[in-house]
Amino acid sequence: MPKHETTVQINMTGPYWIGAIRLCIRGKGQSSVNSTLQELDFCHFYSTSNKAIGRITYIPIVLIKNINMTHALSESDQTNYSGLWIPTFTNGSLSDEEYYIEFGNYLRYMSSLTVIQIMLDERPFFIKNIEEPIVRTAELIFKVLLFTSLCIELFAFMFLIINLFILPLLRSIFYLWKKCRGQNVKSDNSNRSTKSSLRSNSLNKKDSIRMMKS
């Protein structure tokens, strides 16, 4: 666009009634080393219910630049830029009300000439979107090393806890269990010996009683 404001006039000759207009804005994209202009392809439909479009119709369109800035993962790499024109279609007066105000009657017959003026307005401001990586390469390496050292420290701490607390506790529990089991075995043996001695004494008494009776 040579200027910030440009007007394009379309003259349609012939005895036609025009009830609606479909306006499209298209443009080819361009790309260079690190900048890309995306393809422009927008359409909008203009119409009025139960009315014809007037002889002279003004359609304002506002164009706003949308710029995307994408930073690379490494600081030594180039930053990529991409741009896109975003049009805003404004609904102007499409009916023949202005013709009635100017001439005192409505457009009842087919018009021999219909003029459509499209006013393109490029706004001086723009929308800027900045895309940055979550982490840089050097920072990523540092965080990986930090995480690795943390894992090693955790494993070393767990090994120390196991050797100082858990293994001695298990050994003491096993020793107490073995000791209690040995005492139970001794008590069982003593009970068995006392029972056998009592049985032998009772048998001896019975034998002596039998001998005395005989």
Side-chain angles (χ1 to χ4, degrees):
M1 295 176 60
K3 297 180 181 179
H4 290 287
E5 292 183 1
T6 303
T7 301
V8 179
Q9 181 172 324
I10 301 174
N11 298 326
M12 292 182 288
T13 59
Y16 300 113
W17 272 327
I18 300 175
I21 298 173
R22 186 172 185 266
L23 183 61
C24 295
I25 300 177
R26 292 187 174 93
K28 294 182 179 180
Q30 296 179 358
S31 61
S32 61
V33 179
N34 61 340
S35 60
T36 302
L37 178 61
Q38 298 183 10
E39 183 180 357
L40 182 64
D41 189 5
F42 292 95
C43 294
H44 189 73
F45 185 75
Y46 293 93
S47 65
T48 56
S49 60
N50 299 324
K51 291 182 181 180
I53 292 177
R55 288 187 174 182
I56 301 176
T57 303
Y58 300 96
I59 299 177
I61 299 175
V62 177
L63 295 173
I64 300 174
K65 295 182 288 291
N66 187 1
I67 299 174
N68 295 322
M69 181 186 298
T70 304
H71 294 279
L73 184 62
S74 178
E75 293 182 355
S76 60
D77 296 335
Q78 293 182 351
T79 302
N80 295 324
Y81 297 90
S82 63
L84 175 66
W85 289 101
I86 300 177
T88 302
F89 297 92
T90 305
N91 293 325
S93 179
L94 301 178
S95 65
D96 53 357
E97 295 291 340
E98 295 182 357
Y99 183 83
Y100 174 79
I101 294 172
E102 184 177 357
F103 297 100
N105 56 359
Y106 288 100
L107 187 62
R108 300 182 183 275
Y109 303 99
M110 291 183 291
S111 177
S112 60
L113 177 63
T114 302
V115 178
I116 299 175
Q117 290 186 355
I118 303 170
M119 293 170 287
L120 301 175
D121 183 11
E122 178 191 353
R123 295 301 171 91
F125 61 89
F126 59 91
I127 301 173
K128 184 178 181 181
N129 300 320
I130 300 176
E131 298 178 358
E132 294 181 350
I134 299 175
V135 62
R136 298 286 184 181
T137 304
E139 188 178 357
L140 179 62
I141 295 172
F142 175 75
K143 288 186 177 181
V144 169
L145 292 175
L146 185 63
F147 179 74
T148 305
S149 63
L150 179 62
C151 292
I152 293 172
E153 290 178 0
L154 287 176
F155 280 113
F157 183 72
M158 290 176 62
F159 180 76
L160 186 64
I161 292 295
I162 290 171
N163 287 330
L164 291 180
F165 296 100
I166 297 177
L167 287 179
L169 181 63
L170 293 176
R171 288 172 184 171
S172 61
I173 292 172
F174 180 74
Y175 175 75
L176 292 174
W177 175 77
K178 191 174 181 180
K179 186 176 180 181
C180 292
R181 185 179 179 185
Q183 290 179 357
N184 292 328
V185 170
K186 288 181 180 179
S187 62
D188 292 337
N189 292 329
S190 62
N191 291 328
R192 288 176 183 175
S193 62
T194 52
K195 287 181 181 180
S196 61
S197 62
L198 290 173
R199 287 178 182 176
S200 62
N201 291 329
S202 62
L203 290 173
N204 291 327
K205 286 181 180 180
K206 288 180 180 180
D207 292 336
S208 61
I209 292 169
R210 287 177 183 175
M211 290 176 66
M212 290 175 66
K213 287 181 179 181
S214 61

